[in-house]
Amino acid sequence: MGPQELTPHLFRTEYSKIVAVLCRTFHFRHIEIAADIASETFLKASEYWAQKGVPENPAAWLYTVARNKAKDYLKHTAIFETEIRKGLMHDESWTELDFDFNHQTISDSQLAMIFAACNPVNSSEAQLCLTLQILCGFSLVEISNALLAKQETIKKRLQRARENLRNENFQIKSLSEDEIKTRFEVVLRALYLLFNEGYFSKSNSLLIRKDLCLEAIRLALVLTGNELTDTPEANALLALMCFQSSRLEARTDESGAAVLFDEQDRSLWDQALIQKGNHYLIQASKGTELSKYHLEAAIAYWHTTTADPKKWQHILNLYNELIVVEYSPVTALNRVFAYAKVYGNDNGIREAEKLNLKESGYFHGLLGYLYTGLDSNKALEHYRKAILLTKSEAERKVLEKQVFRLIPIPEKDSRHDGDSFTL
């Protein structure tokens, strides 16, 4: 992988690690300093690697440059003498500014930072925006798409949230068990949204962004690797991610185009990830808690199972529970898909029409699927409506592919060199 491809990938996976470790010293009110140093590190990498080539261990190279830049900054700015050093000297745990980027420090820093960003001084919406931006590396566009809000609204939330945390003067440090409990729900939701953006991107030309899926899994592993955050709910979320990730290779063809579930090559499913999903689902079953992540993980488990003749009935039953725990239009439409698998497309169409989600591209895409084989004209009508409503280029290509399958190929006209038709 060359510098042009590698640098964006490393930015997604390493930028937040660098910022988190630096913020253990700079504290959150100086997060802009940490962010600037991290950005300068990647700028130097893009320039240096283009001339000298990619080093053997690019992540370690980035950590070294970031460490040196941070130390250099502290030596040459008054802020260190007037604010940071004064605070550090009263911290018994502080010894020297070594900015250690070992695995444990990175893990501890990111765990502390994600919970620090979810400070209840801000609204839950603002906490989520802050977490997605700082720790998950989401852009304004990605956050607005993930939360279904305008970019200007997201921008204002982020500005207010940062200002509130500066006034609080909180530090990236170990949190108490009570603090973790009050912030845990937002943390899990942020990782859930991060994974979803990778699994089915709404803000990128690529349908699947594996780097986001892997980053979400990595952060979820940070949670399950700490005794204070190794909860059934966290394990359920990790199980869900493993089950869904097991099918990533089968969800697109060689050209990158999407492959629908019914048409996927099962031999491409990652059995090792399915086994990991089973492991974490068992871990999630300890105790009496039943969250939306438990139900979604169970649904994902049944999707990886092919032998059970009652598979879709099990999935439908789980969707019936999930829709009570947390209703959303997407959950309702997914439930209809399972309902049609159990009771047939005719009944599925009637169930879908009850939802009356006429402004949803997913709604029309589902009806297009259900009408296929029953009424081609109605299937085409709904698929075309879905194409007009979708904002995703990758999703649009999937829908256009279904339209082309339904349009009859006209007999060749001798006056033309070949056949043609329009959508």
Side-chain angles (χ1 to χ4, degrees):
M1 187 183 293
Q4 290 185 334
E5 298 81 18
L6 181 61
T7 305
H9 169 71
L10 286 172
F11 185 87
R12 177 68 74 180
T13 61
E14 306 301 327
Y15 175 85
S16 64
K17 297 178 186 178
I18 293 172
V19 172
V21 172
L22 295 181
C23 275
R24 290 172 73 89
T25 295
F26 288 112
H27 304 163
F28 194 88
R29 61 196 171 114
H30 301 303
I31 189 175
E32 286 82 3
I33 299 171
D36 286 346
I37 291 173
S39 297
E40 289 171 9
T41 298
F42 278 91
L43 178 60
K44 182 173 181 178
S46 64
E47 295 172 348
Y48 188 85
W49 295 354
Q51 296 177 0
K52 305 292 185 179
V54 178
E56 185 176 344
N57 190 334
W61 188 96
L62 291 169
Y63 299 155
T64 299
V65 171
R67 181 188 297 113
N68 291 338
K69 283 183 174 293
K71 287 183 176 182
D72 187 61
Y73 176 86
L74 292 176
K75 286 178 183 177
H76 294 89
T77 54
I79 193 171
F80 176 62
E81 294 298 333
T82 58
E83 298 185 39
I84 296 179
R85 182 185 289 277
K86 184 178 178 181
L88 288 173
M89 293 301 289
H90 290 89
D91 183 353
E92 295 178 359
S93 65
W94 180 77
T95 55
E96 61 177 327
L97 296 171
D98 58 356
F99 296 104
D100 192 357
F101 283 92
N102 64 51
H103 174 77
Q104 191 60 50
T105 301
I106 291 172
S107 178
D108 290 346
S109 298
Q110 289 203 290
L111 182 64
M113 191 168 185
I114 194 169
F115 280 95
C118 293
N119 192 316
V121 70
N122 287 314
S123 67
S124 59
E125 292 84 1
Q127 293 172 38
L128 188 56
C129 290
L130 202 60
T131 302
L132 289 173
Q133 185 188 61
I134 293 173
L135 204 68
C136 304
F138 270 35
S139 65
L140 279 176
V141 173
E142 290 168 332
I143 297 173
S144 65
N145 285 330
L147 301 182
L148 304 177
K150 294 180 180 179
Q151 289 184 47
E152 189 59 33
T153 301
I154 298 299
K155 187 176 180 180
K156 289 178 179 178
R157 283 181 189 171
L158 286 167
Q159 289 173 340
R160 285 195 297 267
R162 285 173 178 268
E163 187 61 33
N164 286 340
L165 294 180
R166 286 193 194 96
N167 294 336
E168 281 271 302
N169 192 28
F170 81 93
Q171 301 175 10
I172 306 301
K173 57 180 177 59
S174 298
L175 299 171
S176 68
E177 190 171 353
D178 287 340
E179 286 175 312
I180 286 175
K181 285 181 180 178
T182 59
R183 306 178 190 194
F184 203 53
E185 183 179 345
V186 176
V187 169
L188 292 177
R189 189 177 173 213
L191 299 189
Y192 176 81
L193 290 174
L194 174 63
F195 183 85
N196 280 353
E197 175 61 20
Y199 189 74
F200 200 116
S201 179
K202 301 179 184 67
S203 55
N204 193 280
S205 59
L206 297 174
L207 176 71
I208 296 171
R209 302 174 67 184
K210 294 179 184 178
D211 58 336
L212 296 189
C213 292
L214 292 174
E215 182 66 1
I217 290 174
R218 190 188 66 77
L219 292 172
L221 283 167
V222 170
L223 294 182
T224 57
N226 186 291
E227 62 179 11
L228 290 177
T229 53
D230 185 22
T231 66
E233 199 171 11
N235 279 277
L237 177 58
L238 186 51
L240 169 62
M241 292 177 181
C242 289
F243 286 134
Q244 297 288 60
S245 296
S246 71
R247 296 190 287 112
L248 287 179
E249 295 299 328
R251 290 187 65 232
T252 54
D253 60 20
E254 293 179 355
S255 67
V259 178
L260 297 178
F261 179 80
D262 289 343
E263 301 171 3
Q264 289 176 11
D265 181 356
R266 268 58 169 177
S267 68
L268 296 177
W269 290 3
D270 190 324
Q271 295 302 315
L273 274 173
I274 292 174
Q275 290 304 313
K276 285 184 180 294
N278 291 335
H279 167 76
Y280 289 113
L281 189 57
I282 291 171
Q283 295 298 110
S285 302
K286 297 177 180 178
T288 59
E289 186 177 3
L290 182 65
S291 67
K292 62 169 283 185
Y293 304 115
H294 284 82
L295 294 169
E296 290 196 34
I299 290 169
Y301 160 78
W302 281 110
H303 274 86
T304 65
T305 306
T306 57
D308 196 313
K310 294 185 178 180
K311 163 183 172 175
W312 286 105
Q313 183 63 63
H314 292 309
I315 292 174
L316 177 59
N317 292 342
L318 289 164
Y319 270 122
N320 289 339
E321 290 187 69
L322 179 60
I323 211 164
V324 173
V325 171
E326 183 176 291
Y327 176 86
S328 75
V330 172
T331 299
L333 290 170
N334 286 339
R335 177 191 168 275
V336 169
F337 182 85
Y339 187 92
K341 287 289 187 180
V342 176
Y343 297 109
N345 284 14
D346 280 325
N347 289 317
I349 290 168
R350 284 190 283 273
E351 198 73 6
E353 289 175 341
K354 292 177 185 177
L355 300 175
N356 197 30
L357 297 170
K358 294 181 180 179
E359 300 304 313
S360 165
Y362 293 117
F363 172 76
H364 291 289
L366 175 61
L367 282 174
Y369 172 84
L370 295 177
Y371 270 115
T372 299
L374 298 176
D375 188 327
S376 295
N377 289 330
K378 285 191 175 181
L380 283 169
E381 178 186 345
H382 284 291
Y383 274 134
R384 283 169 171 153
K385 286 181 179 178
I387 289 170
L388 292 174
L389 289 168
T390 186
K391 296 179 180 179
S392 166
E393 180 183 340
E395 188 176 352
R396 186 178 296 110
K397 289 179 180 179
V398 177
L399 294 166
E400 289 173 346
K401 184 177 180 181
Q402 300 308 307
V403 168
F404 277 107
R405 285 180 174 179
L406 287 167
I407 295 177
I409 300 175
E411 293 184 8
K412 188 168 184 178
D413 190 329
S414 60
R415 294 172 298 174
H416 297 281
D417 291 333
D419 302 324
S420 63
F421 53 81
T422 59
L423 293 179

